[in-house]
Amino acid sequence: MAVVPIHSPIAHSATPVKLKIYTRRDIDRIPELQGLTHEQRHLMKAVSAVLPFRVNDYVLENLIDWSNIPDDPMFQLTFPQPGMLQDGHLERMLDLVKRNVSHGEIQAAAREIQSGLNPHPAGQLELNVPTLDARPLEGMQHKYRETVLFFPAAGQTCHAYCTYCFRWAQFVGIDELRFAARQADALFRYVQEHPEVRSVLFTGGDPLVMKTKVLRKYIERLLDPSLEHLESIRIGTKAPAYWPHRFVADEDSDDLLRLFDEVVESGRNLALMAHFSHPRELETPVAREAIRRVRSAGGVVRCQAPLIAHVNDSADVWAEMWRSQVRLGAVPYYMFVERDTGAREYFAVSLARALDVFNGAYRQVSGLERTVRGPSMSATPGKVLVDGVAEVHGEKVFALKFLQGRDPAWAGQVFFARYDPHASWLDHLKPAFGQDEFFFEEELRAIRARHRRQLD
Ligand SMILES: *Cc1c(COP(=O)(O)O)cnc(C)c1O
Ligand code: SF4
């Protein structure tokens, strides 16, 4: 197989850059945090006992504007904020921190609060688990006919954590390479038995926390000629934003790009589904080099992110981000509505506001940026686009549209909900025009009942 050499001035001149990770234990050690007041650091300790953070030196030194704390969007994205806990919870944790009680006591209180925060939203666990040989397949979800979501066991953590996200909570430590081989085999067989699957989407956590040789175990199997029907391999990742050195100056960066190149050489699309939350993440030279190198290996970079209060709740921010992406040869793909998990109230943006932000940004860009779709909710029945607000026979409504449906026949269907300025998720909405329920609800109940029987 012809492997195109990957040329990069940075990779060949730079010595490998070592990733340094900081967590809650380092609050009194991270140099940048020592500019905060004593009280601010106490608050950070209190909140982060419940909502752990993890940052690295690249984020600390390149992405956060330390002259604008606490409002800086990248600080809000990566460091826990007092507003993320309800008042009673915050006071309880703060009191424990100030009294300097034992680690165990803090943990116990934190776990109690965590269990009320809905770490597994949208019926993900019960409804989407596929089966092989009549047994449920761990680490896979098959919700939309064409695409299998795959969670490699060794990719369930991230280079840094986003404060609004709970995905890393699934992380479990195991013997990476051996487990990877077994899991890769199950994925291969599943795709082989399902000719309707055209795309495998690796997700996590962040699959690119894995060493290339581990990722290769999964991906190489999928290039087998017997999987002719598999047209694309996608990797959902925040690495270009949180650790762009992954593509440039890690020990195995060149191997990673060669792996991407092999996917392309096999006649398939290799897409990096890159999570960019803010235009600043696209500004550093190494982030730009990362995108350039993925493209030079024949990969496509598609960009998506949720709309998050305190982080990117601004039309100008999105317009600037989409324009930067297009300049760098990346493709704006989705704007998501933040799902119902974690410290939702702090980060939530109403659907009406999300639509304003989306349209305000959309109007500022050319057709090249308008490959983006949104605001979109990944809800139990499917990916639902909030397409607009309209008035029909005197009733103000949201026009909604399925981009993806649990039943493939729903894709493209338009439906209407009563306008509600406070609604921030699909299940807050009521059908318009006096109807009792949305068109898909009866079928969704049937699908649920069927799955329950299968899994029992
Ligand atoms: C978003 C999503 C996909 C991919 O959908 P595309 O519209 O093809 O990008 C696949 N599975 C699940 C569960 C998803 O949420
Ligand atoms: S990088 Fe992705 S999975 Fe990891 S914390 Fe952020 S949003 Fe969650």
Side-chain angles (χ1 to χ4, degrees):
M1 180 179 301
V3 175
V4 179
I6 310 292
H7 299 291
S8 162
I10 290 189
H12 294 291
S13 57
T15 41
V17 180
K18 199 104 187 87
L19 174 66
K20 267 189 256 154
I21 302 255
Y22 300 94
T23 63
R24 180 172 187 273
R25 288 192 306 274
D26 305 307
I27 289 175
D28 291 327
R29 275 200 298 263
I30 297 173
E32 286 85 352
L33 293 184
Q34 307 319 306
L36 304 186
T37 65
H38 212 62
E39 180 70 10
Q40 278 174 318
R41 283 207 303 278
H42 267 143
L43 280 167
M44 192 178 276
K45 286 176 194 170
V47 184
S48 63
V50 181
L51 304 166
F53 75 89
R54 174 180 163 112
V55 282
N56 63 49
D57 47 345
Y58 173 79
V59 173
L60 289 174
E61 290 163 19
N62 297 280
L63 300 186
I64 295 174
D65 174 2
W66 292 98
S67 71
N68 183 29
I69 301 303
D71 296 338
D72 179 67
M74 292 306 302
F75 181 72
Q76 293 279 330
L77 180 64
T78 51
F79 281 95
Q81 307 297 324
M84 290 167 54
L85 287 189
Q86 295 166 17
D87 280 350
H89 293 161
L90 182 63
E91 275 146 28
R92 180 170 167 205
M93 294 310 299
L94 192 59
D95 173 62
L96 295 175
V97 165
K98 284 188 169 161
R99 285 198 285 119
N100 210 4
V101 301
S102 73
H103 181 67
E105 202 172 328
I106 290 198
Q107 285 289 93
R111 217 160 294 140
E112 218 178 287
I113 297 172
Q114 281 164 349
S115 65
L117 293 176
N118 188 23
H120 297 293
Q124 291 299 345
L125 294 184
E126 97 203 55
L127 273 181
N128 305 323
V129 180
T131 54
L132 186 70
D133 308 333
R135 302 246 290 278
L137 278 173
E138 299 294 329
M140 261 185 250
Q141 283 180 16
H142 192 183
K143 179 169 175 181
Y144 307 130
R145 186 174 55 195
E146 284 77 18
T147 304
V148 166
L149 233 56
F150 182 68
F151 300 78
Q156 297 305 304
T157 187
C158 306
H159 291 101
Y161 293 157
C162 307
T163 36
Y164 62 82
C165 174
F166 254 115
R167 297 261 288 281
W168 44 262
Q170 302 161 18
F171 175 67
V172 272
I174 34 170
D175 179 353
E176 294 188 0
L177 272 171
R178 272 191 30 232
F179 191 87
R182 219 175 335 132
Q183 212 190 4
D185 187 59
L187 173 64
F188 168 75
R189 287 177 52 215
Y190 185 81
V191 176
Q192 202 174 36
E193 285 174 18
H194 288 267
E196 75 278 18
V197 172
R198 300 177 194 284
S199 187
V200 170
L201 170 49
F202 287 83
T203 183
D206 188 333
L208 292 184
V209 299
M210 292 190 285
K211 294 274 184 241
T212 303
K213 67 175 186 214
V214 183
L215 185 64
R216 177 176 281 283
K217 284 226 182 283
Y218 295 105
I219 288 185
E220 248 173 6
R221 291 289 317 260
L222 297 177
L223 306 185
D224 191 281
S226 70
L227 305 188
E228 187 52 42
H229 57 285
L230 185 66
E231 295 163 3
S232 65
I233 294 178
R234 310 192 232 181
I235 302 175
T237 179
K238 182 95 184 154
Y242 280 167
W243 187 245
H245 295 293
R246 182 71 192 89
F247 307 88
V248 177
D250 270 0
E251 280 165 4
D252 57 354
S253 293
D254 288 4
D255 293 339
L256 180 66
L257 297 187
R258 271 186 213 104
L259 178 62
F260 291 175
D261 181 59
E262 284 168 43
V263 174
V264 176
E265 283 288 315
S266 81
R268 297 183 173 85
N269 185 297
L270 183 282
L272 216 61
M273 309 306 288
H275 174 185
F276 285 112
S277 312
H278 194 276
R280 197 180 297 156
E281 296 168 329
L282 292 147
E283 279 169 15
T284 69
V286 60
R288 293 180 173 187
E289 179 65 4
I291 293 174
R292 204 190 66 72
R293 296 195 90 212
V294 173
R295 295 183 64 225
S296 81
V300 182
V301 180
R302 294 186 180 271
C303 307
Q304 53 190 27
L307 170 56
I308 303 288
H310 308 283
V311 174
N312 57 18
D313 181 7
S314 147
D316 292 350
V317 162
W318 283 86
E320 187 189 340
M321 185 157 69
W322 295 337
R323 284 200 302 258
S324 297
Q325 288 162 358
V326 167
R327 245 180 212 264
L328 297 168
V331 185
Y333 191 62
Y334 272 131
M335 175 202 273
F336 290 119
V337 179
E338 150 71 340
R339 59 194 327 164
D340 45 355
T341 179
R344 181 137 207 287
E345 283 173 22
Y346 186 72
F347 291 117
V349 175
S350 71
L351 299 178
R353 168 76 190 152
L355 197 54
D356 282 346
V357 171
F358 184 88
N359 285 336
Y362 201 76
R363 287 181 196 121
Q364 297 181 40
V365 298
S366 82
L368 289 177
E369 288 82 9
R370 290 180 184 168
T371 49
V372 71
R373 289 161 303 162
S376 168
M377 291 174 272
S378 293
T380 306
K383 273 195 172 61
V384 176
L385 176 75
V386 186
D387 214 7
V389 173
E391 202 171 300
V392 180
H393 295 305
E395 184 176 342
K396 197 173 179 187
V397 297
F398 279 119
L400 304 160
K401 181 178 176 177
F402 274 101
L403 297 175
Q404 290 279 11
R406 192 172 287 281
D407 177 341
W410 297 347
Q413 286 226 39
V414 174
F415 61 107
F416 298 92
R418 242 188 278 157
Y419 180 79
D420 172 353
H422 304 296
S424 58
W425 198 249
L426 183 63
D427 58 14
H428 303 162
L429 294 175
K430 301 270 178 296
F433 316 131
Q435 281 167 340
D436 291 336
E437 55 180 28
F438 294 119
F439 78 92
F440 55 83
E441 292 191 68
E442 188 178 338
E443 192 182 332
L444 187 62
R445 277 195 297 276
I447 292 172
R448 271 214 176 93
R450 207 155 59 228
H451 276 265
R452 218 166 281 137
R453 274 199 304 278
Q454 264 172 23
L455 292 177
D456 278 348

